[in-house]
Amino acid sequence: MNHERFYITDETVIEHIVSTQKQYFYAQKTKSINSRIQALNKLRDAVKQNEQRIMDALKQDLNKSEVEAYTSEIGILLEEIRFTLKHLAKWMKPKKVKTALTHVGSKGKIVPEPYGVALIIAPWNYPFQLALSPLVGAIAAGNTAIIKPSELTPSVSRVIQELLAEAFDPAFVTVVEGAVDTTSLLLKQPVDYIFFTGSVNVGKIIMQEAGKQLIPVTLELGGKSPCIVHEDANLDLAAKRIMFGKGMNAGQTCVAPDYLLVHKKVKAQLVEKLREAISQFYGSNPLESDRYGRIVSERHFTRLVEFLKDGNAIVGGGYNKNTLTIEPTVLSEVSWTSDVMQEEIFGPILPMIEYETLDEVIHKVQEKAKPLALYLFTESEDVQNAITERLSFGGGCINDTLMHIATPYLPFGGVGESGTGQYHGKDSFQTFTHFKSMLSQTTKFDLSFRYPSEKQSLKMI
Ligand code: NAD
């Protein structure tokens, strides 16, 4: 199928989409609690009724197994909707605040209000969930939304387009399919909020474009997330949980453990246990496993295969160009200056570097950009405190990987180069909300000392 025929590259069409949404928003149609609840219910029903269609598209674009598609895309989204519906009324309530002595007679409150038209730009790695989770927040907060899915996963992009067109008036929620040209046109529009998920480099472009109109942004970006295995770690669990995080979606996960820092004393043992975990999850030939995903495109595949030259593939190392699959691979003898240690890997290759002291680890991680995630395997509370207090990162887990992202009770986002802003659960509502400060003044009396007067001016001299 020629997917590009769905791409909108005509500026007047895009202008029309945005102005139609502005009118819809100004008509107050998105703001009542009932309209928000109704829209979230509609979204939930649309997803539930089309589960097979969504899974088929994910299989086609990324060879995602149904289990993985459900747990990491559909299920997580349904949970986000459920959680939001449960708490929305409370989140929407204006909050009364205390009055300062200087403001006697007045009342202050903080009123949550939607921004207006939200533009959501999504990546390809969890192409369904990462387009629609932000939408839950946008709708809950009372905005209209335009979604631009990734062109690299065209089957999912199409399904999202069809599903939302069936569920919603395009003046309220619509999908604009396309690649860079389309996104560039969208970025020229006077939208009221931009929520971007993607790479650091494109994040910089988004921020620059948004800056021209001072449009507020959330940037959910990536980076190199370290995974530290200390000498006292439970290695059986560490190996399984690391491979769970690296194997999912063939390592094409923003919070995947990017590289491994392992204490010298346990390196050999860990390697063996990683090997066992891989064969337990994906069998003796992961390239043939229907539980194991493929690389999204030939360009990404070629980039990843190049990384294999940067070390010794002590586990895995095989690949198949025809199916765009690469085995889960552990690379040893990797130097900090090699290519694989410079940019986010975003594939199933795990470079491993050994250490002797925690200070070494801390200094090396500090030399790099603040990561999106950090994982630490240790039984020692002192080690946990040393790492979490001294290193800055978006979020992470102790003795696990990825799981911090899958709960609506924890905000998710990066810091520094790995992102700006956060979402999930209440934070999604807050992200798409402007909190308006309102002071209501009494007319029953007036305190005159604040007004300029001759007497006051003389006193001040
Ligand atoms: P990407 O930055 O290449 O693309 C993201 C979106 O931006 C796509 O919709 C794409 O069409 C658009 N885009 C690409 N180039 C553009 C340009 N020059 N101008 C305007 N728009 C442009 O990212 P990707 O390859 O789709 O996704 C992988 C990256 O996303 C990784 O770095 C990963 O870590 C990150 N990511 C982050 C999160 C998170 O939640 N923090 C989640 C998933 C992925």
Side-chain angles (χ1 to χ4, degrees):
M1 198 205 288
N2 175 14
H3 293 276
E4 287 179 25
R5 72 195 166 94
F6 299 115
Y7 292 1
I8 301 176
T9 48
D10 182 338
E11 193 163 7
T12 51
V13 175
I14 294 211
E15 276 169 8
H16 179 72
I17 292 170
V18 175
S19 67
T20 310
Q21 289 218 346
K22 288 244 171 195
Q23 292 316 314
Y24 191 90
F25 180 74
Y26 290 142
Q28 302 291 309
K29 292 183 184 172
T30 60
K31 291 187 181 170
S32 73
I33 181 151
N34 283 345
S35 66
R36 300 184 199 195
I37 288 175
Q38 203 184 17
L40 289 170
N41 281 332
K42 257 194 188 171
L43 180 62
R44 182 200 54 213
D45 294 348
V47 173
K48 279 191 163 175
Q49 284 155 15
N50 289 284
E51 277 178 13
Q52 195 56 49
R53 211 163 136 198
I54 300 160
M55 292 204 239
D56 290 347
L58 286 163
K59 184 85 189 161
Q60 208 164 343
D61 286 340
L62 289 158
N63 195 35
K64 274 198 191 184
S65 69
E66 292 201 350
V67 173
E68 204 176 295
Y70 195 84
T71 52
S72 69
E73 303 248 18
I74 299 169
I76 216 168
L77 177 71
L78 291 174
E79 171 58 14
E80 184 78 9
I81 297 173
R82 191 199 61 75
F83 187 85
T84 305
L85 281 167
K86 188 170 169 206
H87 299 282
L88 184 58
K90 193 171 64 205
W91 297 341
M92 279 178 67
K93 275 205 183 111
K95 192 173 150 216
K96 286 183 188 156
V97 293
K98 286 185 180 166
T99 297
L101 264 182
T102 44
H103 291 57
V104 68
S106 70
K107 286 180 185 149
K109 63 179 174 180
I110 301 165
V111 186
E113 68 166 23
Y115 280 102
V117 179
L119 170 62
I120 296 166
I121 303 172
W124 55 262
N125 61 333
Y126 291 84
F128 185 73
Q129 192 250 115
L130 292 176
L132 297 192
S133 271
L135 176 65
V136 175
I139 292 175
N143 301 274
T144 68
I146 299 168
I147 298 175
K148 209 300 285 174
S150 172
E151 71 280 17
L152 292 184
T153 38
S155 311
V156 177
S157 174
R158 196 84 284 264
V159 168
I160 294 174
Q161 199 284 330
E162 289 169 358
L163 211 112
L164 296 184
E166 285 158 23
F168 297 114
D169 181 342
F172 171 42
V173 173
T174 196
V175 174
V176 173
E177 291 188 85
V180 177
D181 292 352
T182 306
T183 321
S184 304
L185 290 176
L186 283 166
L187 290 171
K188 284 192 195 158
Q189 298 300 312
V191 297
D192 301 285
Y193 201 89
I194 299 175
F195 188 102
F196 171 79
T197 309
S199 61
V200 172
N201 283 342
V202 179
K204 289 177 185 170
I205 297 174
I206 304 290
M207 199 159 186
Q208 206 168 10
E209 289 304 304
K212 289 180 187 164
Q213 300 184 75
L214 293 178
I215 297 169
V217 290
T218 293
L219 301 174
E220 295 285 345
L221 310 177
K224 290 189 84 62
S225 300
C227 177
I228 305 160
V229 182
H230 201 53
E231 58 181 311
D232 63 346
N234 176 333
L235 295 180
D236 287 315
L237 284 180
K240 278 203 271 187
R241 292 174 184 176
I242 291 167
M243 263 311 145
F244 160 79
K246 194 67 174 181
M248 185 177 287
N249 203 23
Q252 301 166 112
T253 302
C254 57
V255 283
D258 184 274
Y259 62 99
L260 207 55
L261 295 171
V262 56
H263 194 281
K264 200 176 174 180
K265 280 192 194 157
V266 292
K267 181 179 144 191
Q269 264 176 290
L270 181 70
V271 168
E272 280 324 300
K273 289 183 190 294
L274 287 168
R275 195 193 308 279
E276 281 164 30
I278 293 167
S279 92
Q280 191 186 331
F281 296 171
Y282 307 113
S284 55
N285 185 3
L287 297 183
E288 301 284 310
S289 170
D290 58 8
R291 294 188 296 278
Y292 188 60
R294 72 164 169 85
I295 305 306
V296 69
S297 73
E298 200 172 318
R299 180 171 64 86
H300 290 75
F301 175 86
T302 310
R303 184 183 70 89
L304 288 167
V305 168
E306 277 297 300
F307 285 149
L308 294 174
K309 295 180 188 147
D310 289 345
N312 172 27
I314 195 167
V315 179
Y319 52 87
N320 181 340
K321 196 172 177 186
N322 295 324
T323 54
L324 297 184
T325 44
I326 300 174
E327 282 179 348
T329 298
V330 180
L331 278 189
S332 68
E333 289 149 57
V334 175
S335 97
W336 282 99
T337 53
S338 59
D339 287 348
V340 75
M341 289 306 294
Q342 306 316 306
E343 56 181 280
E344 182 182 4
I345 298 169
F346 223 54
I349 300 167
L350 193 58
M352 182 174 61
I353 296 180
E354 61 179 46
Y355 69 86
E356 285 183 62
T357 66
L358 276 186
D359 274 346
E360 237 178 289
V361 167
I362 288 167
H363 291 139
K364 280 297 183 188
V365 174
Q366 279 171 340
E367 276 172 17
K368 296 194 164 290
K370 292 176 182 176
L372 182 59
L374 183 142
Y375 305 112
L376 170 64
F377 288 85
T378 179
E379 295 297 307
S380 154
E381 233 175 86
D382 288 344
V383 174
Q384 293 172 12
N385 292 340
I387 295 290
T388 53
E389 283 167 19
R390 289 175 64 188
L391 290 175
S392 178
F393 49 94
C397 307
I398 287 166
N399 292 322
D400 210 340
T401 68
L402 310 194
M403 295 305 284
H404 65 299
I405 187 173
T407 159
Y409 292 96
L410 283 176
F412 171 67
V415 54
E417 256 201 27
S418 55
T420 295
Q422 43 200 18
Y423 77 129
H424 288 182
K426 189 178 182 184
D427 283 78
S428 289
F429 173 82
Q430 290 178 337
T431 283
F432 287 99
T433 296
H434 165 62
F435 289 90
K436 194 189 246 172
S437 292
M438 288 302 307
L439 188 90
S440 228
Q441 187 59 278
T442 183
T443 50
K444 295 209 168 79
F445 59 87
D446 193 26
L447 298 176
S448 57
F449 64 80
R450 68 168 161 168
Y451 300 117
S453 72
E454 236 170 79
K455 243 168 139 188
Q456 189 186 34
S457 319
L458 281 173
K459 249 195 214 160
M460 281 169 76
I461 294 167

